[in-house]
Amino acid sequence: MFNDEGCVVAVDCAVQAANEAARLNEQEDDPGDEPSYTWLPLCVDHEEQPGDTCEECPQD
Ligand SMILES: [Zn+2]
């Protein structure tokens, strides 16, 4: 799961990640238009990188 600062929580289950993101967004004092927390599948090789845009993996 990611916010402006990058990876904040790593969980194994996508459902758990989505629930956690929703919970944290509800706690935001000033959520604004964009949710502060989002979740993405993580790279299988690099836990702190989103799977689809991993900066560590070679990009084709
Ligand atoms: Zn990677």
Side-chain angles (χ1 to χ4, degrees):
M1 181 161 51
F2 294 80
N3 67 5
D4 294 343
E5 296 179 353
C7 182
V8 291
V9 180
V11 294
D12 293 332
C13 175
V15 175
Q16 183 181 356
N19 287 340
E20 187 73 1
R23 187 178 65 80
L24 290 170
N25 284 325
E26 287 179 358
Q27 293 177 347
E28 287 288 292
D29 291 333
D30 182 17
D33 292 334
E34 296 284 332
S36 298
Y37 295 90
T38 56
W39 69 274
L40 295 167
L42 297 178
C43 177
V44 294
D45 293 325
H46 312 101
E47 287 189 348
E48 296 192 355
Q49 295 287 340
D52 56 347
T53 58
C54 179
E55 295 177 357
E56 306 279 340
C57 286
Q59 302 292 322
D60 291 334

